[in-house]
Amino acid sequence: MNKKAGFLPLKPIVLLSSGVLLIVSCYWFFEVTKAVPEPFLDEVFHVRQALVYWANDWETWDPKITTPAGLYIVAYVWLWILKVVRVSSSLVTQLRSLNFLQGTIALYLISRQLLFDIPRFETSTNDETLRSTSARSCSPIGIDHATLNICLFPPLFFFYSLFYTDVTSTVLVLLAYMDFHLDKGRNQYFLSIAALFLRQTNIFWTAIYLGGLEVLRNLPKGRSEIEFPCKSTLLDVVTGSWQHACLYDPLIEDAWFEDYIKAGVSLIVASLANLQRLALPLLPYLSLLVGFGGFVLWNGGIVLGDKENHVASIHLTQMLYIWPYIAFFSFPFLLPYILNAILPQSVVPPPLRMGSTRYLIPRLGVTLPCLGAMLIIVRYNTIIHPFTLADNRHYPFYVFRLLLRHPAIKYMVTPIYYICAWAAIVTTSGIRKDKKERRAQSKGEDKDAVSLSLPSSVTSLEPGTRVSFVLIWFLTTSLSLVTAPLVEPRYFIIPWLMWRMHVLSPMPPGSTISISSSSRSTTSKHRNLTTRVGAEERKTTHWLYNMMNMGFAKYDYRLFVETLWFLGVNWAVGYVFLHWEFEWVQEKGSVQRFMW
């Protein structure tokens, strides 16, 4: 990849988005500090171990702690810094402030850079002009707004005021991801090791996920009707991938279910055909895996302590739970796709219109086997950890009480899993044009220039998210979740972040892209890429649509809905945590609280 890496410049809008984050986070931090001055729940173990290290006792270890010592080493450095600057607050508050600063500063800057880099470096296109312009599919204001929303993500935002491993762990994984783009992994290896010292399951994101992206970065991309026939069979894909040593990797919006199978097979075959090319780039990832495997053998398992309650198992229903999790937190992005798929365009509210997505609905021949597989997983692999139903302080306790209220309920919700999975995958596609226009373009019905009519509300500049991303994300998420017997919202944070960062934000409503025929030239100075707002859209008289056009002409209105939704969820969860106190009969005088 010859594209020059660089940091996204800071602009005045950063002050607004980061200011909002800082105000909300400060309010939350001070409220928690005032209401819960003592360590709560798992903080008891983390704070106690951090203070043991702070006393320079490096040999004492709490056998109940399951994660490595990375958090406590970072905390030691942080407490030393605060001591130098003579901060006089309690040690618990000082330890909590570590997560506060990481969430409001480090996570903000890293997420902002990733939102800028992902469209530039992961578009999987051979066209340098389209790759360079793909970053413009979301304005700098949109990037800063999306960054704010990511930092407000409720299951992560909640822990900005508590001393847990989640924030530091997430920051290190994303930092390794950012370095993967900016420095081509110059510091990525060491950041990956540091992430493993925070949480063992980070091995899947630092070695499998980034390793998979490394493979994609080094594999040539096959082209329709050149390396692969227009309607490729599985045999065509295998043959083309081997003979041309390239990857079959269609856009998500153009992919049928079988295209995911073809792309997976192509990824394996093309990798084998490029073994010599991939050997050196993949060496750091393989060494991480080998080193981690050695640790597991030496330790006798993945977790460090409390092994009897954290036995690794095959928990496939975790990959069913993640879809409603994504749908719940990201419904502002999923809802337009669902509405345009099931309702006529005349019924869909104008601001939500994006062109019919009904053609994206899976066929009956795909739906029935998938639902059948889900039902089998629910029947034979529903694992309820004793901790889940023994601790009513966590929200999963109430979710599973509903699911177990009647034996039929857990089967009745499988269609919800399926619909949410479809919507989550389709949402990453960034639909740009309707089916007729895509067919016309694929048949070569473009004369001197190709005019691609973008959807009225949710659009994206070529190119878009590819099937390969879904495959690698799904594989990594599966490996990180199915080995966990416990179901906790915290376990889904990094999978959601990776998914959310690949949700494309739109160009202005009604825009069109005109790509001159000279854009096929290999010389960039002969390429011409322009955008314009469609005249028909400007003539719309619907007051709500006009308001959307006037207020958010170059904006993704879903970002505002997402912001309000996250603020609402954070307020509700925070209020319950701070004010709905209760006691257990067996622990009189000990205040309990509800949390994620």
Side-chain angles (χ1 to χ4, degrees), residues 38-114:
E38 298 299 322
F40 179 73
L41 210 60
D42 287 0
E43 272 194 314
V44 173
F45 306 106
H46 295 311
V47 170
R48 185 166 59 204
Q49 186 62 48
L51 295 182
V52 166
Y53 277 17
W54 180 238
N56 291 315
D57 182 359
W58 301 97
E59 297 181 359
T60 301
W61 181 258
D62 190 333
K64 287 294 183 181
I65 295 177
T66 61
T67 52
L71 177 65
Y72 318 116
I73 296 173
V74 174
Y76 183 92
V77 176
W78 177 242
L79 290 177
W80 181 84
I81 293 173
L82 294 181
K83 181 180 179 181
V84 170
V85 298
R86 298 184 179 180
V87 173
S88 59
S89 58
S90 69
L91 287 174
V92 174
T93 301
Q94 291 181 37
L95 289 170
R96 290 174 173 175
S97 67
L98 174 63
N99 280 348
F100 169 78
L101 286 180
Q102 288 185 103
T104 55
I105 298 177
L107 183 64
Y108 182 91
L109 294 175
I110 296 169
S111 299
R112 184 173 183 266
Q113 185 65 42
L114 281 170

Side-chain angles (χ1 to χ4, degrees), residues 351-547:
L352 299 178
R353 288 179 189 168
M354 51 184 291
S356 176
T357 59
R358 190 171 291 112
Y359 66 91
L360 290 172
I361 296 178
R363 294 153 291 171
L364 193 62
V366 173
T367 299
L368 292 180
C370 286
L371 286 175
M374 288 181 174
L375 289 170
I376 292 173
I377 291 174
V378 169
R379 171 65 179 85
Y380 294 103
N381 199 236
T382 297
I383 298 175
I384 309 296
H385 195 281
F387 286 1
T388 302
L389 297 180
D391 193 343
N392 64 346
R393 294 171 295 185
H394 296 289
Y395 292 118
F397 170 86
Y398 302 95
V399 174
F400 278 96
R401 282 192 64 177
L402 288 174
L403 289 176
L404 299 176
R405 180 164 292 183
H406 190 279
I409 294 179
K410 64 180 181 180
Y411 300 107
M412 294 171 62
V413 296
T414 51
I416 297 178
Y417 299 148
Y418 184 72
I419 293 171
C420 292
W422 166 82
I425 292 173
V426 171
T427 299
T428 62
S429 67
I431 305 300
R432 296 183 297 279
K433 45 194 179 295
D434 62 32
K435 197 172 184 179
K436 291 182 180 179
E437 287 169 318
R438 292 207 329 274
R439 284 178 174 175
Q441 185 187 359
S442 65
K443 292 178 181 179
E445 297 177 4
D446 50 339
K447 303 298 182 181
D448 295 332
V450 181
S451 179
L452 309 181
S453 177
L454 302 183
S456 60
S457 183
V458 181
T459 59
S460 167
L461 190 62
E462 277 277 89
T465 307
R466 303 272 166 169
V467 167
S468 58
F469 161 74
V470 176
L471 295 176
I472 292 174
W473 175 87
F474 185 84
L475 173 63
T476 309
T477 301
S478 300
L479 291 173
S480 66
L481 292 180
V482 298
T483 55
L486 267 171
V487 179
E488 289 195 29
R490 297 184 296 141
Y491 295 169
F492 300 95
I493 288 176
I494 294 181
W496 180 88
L497 285 172
M498 298 303 184
W499 172 87
R500 176 61 183 85
M501 289 181 178
H502 286 80
V503 173
L504 299 174
S505 291
M507 288 291 286
S511 295
T512 61
I513 304 172
S514 297
I515 305 176
S516 67
S517 57
S518 61
S519 67
R520 298 176 179 83
S521 169
T522 57
T523 306
S524 60
K525 66 180 181 179
H526 292 131
R527 292 169 179 165
N528 178 32
L529 186 62
T530 60
T531 61
R532 54 185 167 82
V533 177
E536 292 184 1
E537 296 290 345
R538 291 199 298 267
K539 295 178 182 178
T540 306
T541 57
H542 192 283
W543 70 269
L544 184 57
Y545 190 85
N546 286 334
M547 183 190 73

Side-chain angles (χ1 to χ4, degrees), residues 232-282:
S232 300
T233 64
L234 183 59
L235 181 59
D236 293 330
V237 169
V238 172
T239 303
S241 299
W242 181 258
Q243 290 182 349
H244 302 287
C246 63
L247 179 64
Y248 176 81
D249 194 13
L251 290 164
I252 292 175
E253 66 173 277
D254 293 327
W256 298 94
F257 179 80
E258 52 267 30
D259 286 312
Y260 289 86
I261 300 175
K262 295 175 186 176
V265 172
S266 176
L267 184 59
I268 296 172
V269 174
S271 298
L272 293 174
N274 287 274
L275 273 181
Q276 188 173 1
R277 182 177 188 172
L278 294 174
L280 187 60
L282 289 182

Side-chain angles (χ1 to χ4, degrees), residues 544-561:
L544 184 57
Y545 190 85
N546 286 334
M547 183 190 73
M548 298 295 293
N549 269 345
M550 287 187 295
F552 317 128
K554 295 185 178 181
Y555 221 73
D556 185 349
Y557 67 88
R558 300 173 299 175
L559 293 172
F560 286 101
V561 182

Side-chain angles (χ1 to χ4, degrees), residues 107 150-151 153-160 166-167 170 493 497 596:
L107 183 64
I150 285 174
C151 292
F153 180 52
L156 188 59
F157 177 85
F158 183 87
F159 294 100
Y160 292 175
D166 301 271
V167 179
T170 300
I493 288 176
L497 285 172
W596 289 110

